[in-house]
Amino acid sequence: MNKQVRQDLLPKMEPGQVWLVGAGPGDPGLLTLHAVRALEQADVIVYDALVDETCLQFANSNAVLEYAGKRGGKPSFKQRDISLRLVELARQNKRVLRLKGGDPFVFGRGAEEALTLVEHGIRFRIVPGVTAGIGGLAYAGIPATHRTVNQSVTFLTGHDANGVMPDKIDWHGIARGSPVIVMYMAMKHIGEITRRLIEAGRAADEAMAFVCNASLKNQFVLETTLEKAEKAVRDAGLQPPAIVVVGEVVKLRESLDWLGVAGDRVLKSEIQTRENEQGETA
């Protein structure tokens, strides 16, 4: 099957249309076919701070790139302005790609942006992406579920639209009912979050992990426990973005750290090669 036929199986972006696309947690290999197709066709790409810029290399050479990142504690674009910019571009008859980190509907603002498009009568398409709470953990060797460990998993955000702790989270219910908890945007309030979970009945020595820069070359994983988490994060100098997971699945990383094992093998191979070369020249 030739390339042209394969592309014909995928939808085309139409002028005046907006695609809200999830770029995944960072590794460009996790882009979906729909995402790559959108990058190849878009006239304008409005992208987030959490989109790794290597993903933009799939864009066509004529595409205009517009940064619209929002990062906590830093000067950021207002959400309403971003949404209205999409409307403005679509009304200019542009093919508009709104590229968002992870999945646009999982603790992103994809739904808000889509509702603004509906409000203004703009045609749109949603393209799901690999969310960091699943894909990022997988790159760390931590499964979100394992049938001998958990039959449920809870995803939650560590802060609301105003950057404060969400006041509608039932910490006691989650602590009692969810064997595995996966948290987005939780670094800022991690001390308060861990205290609430322990007060709600979670074991202080329960396994916990922080996956920073998930799926990227500079990925870093910190394993700790609930009671030690705040100090461990501070001592390690960890900075967001990070995915946080609490539960016994963290212990499976000892066997499932495929990326770390691969890195160790590469390092050992390089060392052995250097030793062989030195031996030959001795």
Side-chain angles (χ1 to χ4, degrees):
M1 186 179 293
N2 62 51
K3 183 177 181 180
Q4 184 59 48
V5 173
R6 291 197 300 268
Q7 288 186 342
D8 288 345
L9 296 175
L10 300 174
K12 294 181 180 180
M13 294 185 77
E14 301 294 339
Q17 189 178 38
V18 178
W19 284 24
L20 298 164
V21 177
D27 184 344
L30 297 179
L31 289 167
T32 65
L33 288 175
H34 282 325
V36 173
R37 184 71 168 135
L39 284 160
E40 293 172 343
Q41 298 179 82
D43 297 316
V44 182
I45 299 170
V46 182
Y47 66 100
D48 272 352
L50 293 180
V51 173
D52 190 84
E53 294 199 359
T54 56
C55 295
L56 299 175
Q57 294 180 18
F58 290 93
N60 75 79
S61 59
N62 295 319
V64 175
L65 304 181
E66 292 192 8
Y67 177 76
K70 294 176 69 67
R71 296 297 296 272
K74 298 180 180 180
S76 300
F77 293 84
K78 294 181 179 180
Q79 183 57 53
R80 185 63 177 170
D81 292 340
I82 296 172
S83 299
L84 291 177
R85 178 59 176 160
L86 300 178
V87 172
E88 179 185 15
L89 291 169
R91 285 181 171 168
Q92 294 173 8
N93 217 33
K94 304 290 187 182
R95 289 181 288 258
V96 185
L97 167 55
R98 175 66 169 119
L99 193 61
K100 305 176 73 66
D103 179 275
F105 277 5
V106 180
F107 298 120
R109 296 177 173 86
E112 296 173 44
E113 293 169 0
L115 287 170
T116 300
L117 297 175
V118 171
E119 178 186 346
H120 290 84
I122 304 298
R123 293 172 297 143
F124 66 93
R125 182 186 186 96
I126 304 297
V127 177
V130 178
T131 185
I134 295 176
L137 293 187
Y139 268 64
I142 301 172
T145 67
H146 187 282
R147 65 178 182 169
T148 65
V149 176
N150 63 311
Q151 287 72 50
S152 65
V153 57
T154 294
F155 296 90
L156 61 85
T157 177
H159 66 71
D160 63 15
N162 297 315
V164 300
M165 282 270 292
D167 58 6
K168 295 182 180 179
I169 292 180
D170 182 355
W171 294 103
H172 282 83
I174 290 173
R176 291 193 305 270
S178 187
V180 174
I181 306 168
V182 179
M183 293 178 273
Y184 296 67
M185 298 171 284
M187 296 281 280
K188 180 179 179 181
H189 302 295
I190 197 61
E192 181 63 22
I193 289 171
T194 53
R195 282 190 288 274
R196 290 195 184 193
L197 287 172
I198 292 172
E199 290 171 1
R202 299 297 282 228
D205 62 353
E206 186 170 12
M208 187 174 188
F210 295 78
V211 184
C212 300
N213 299 310
S215 83
L216 299 177
K217 292 181 179 179
N218 61 340
Q219 174 178 289
F220 178 79
V221 182
L222 172 67
E223 293 184 59
T224 182
T225 62
L226 271 176
E227 66 178 346
K228 296 179 181 178
E230 185 177 16
K231 183 177 186 301
V233 167
R234 184 171 60 250
D235 290 348
L238 295 192
Q239 297 293 326
I243 283 292
V244 185
V245 56
V246 177
E248 292 301 296
V249 291
V250 172
K251 295 181 179 179
L252 294 172
R253 183 170 186 266
E254 182 177 359
S255 300
L256 301 180
D257 181 20
W258 60 274
L259 192 59
V261 169
D264 288 344
R265 286 175 180 165
V266 170
L267 179 60
K268 290 175 182 177
S269 176
E270 290 175 346
I271 293 173
Q272 186 61 53
T273 299
R274 287 198 298 269
E275 290 177 346
N276 290 342
E277 291 174 347
Q278 290 170 358
E280 290 174 358
T281 58

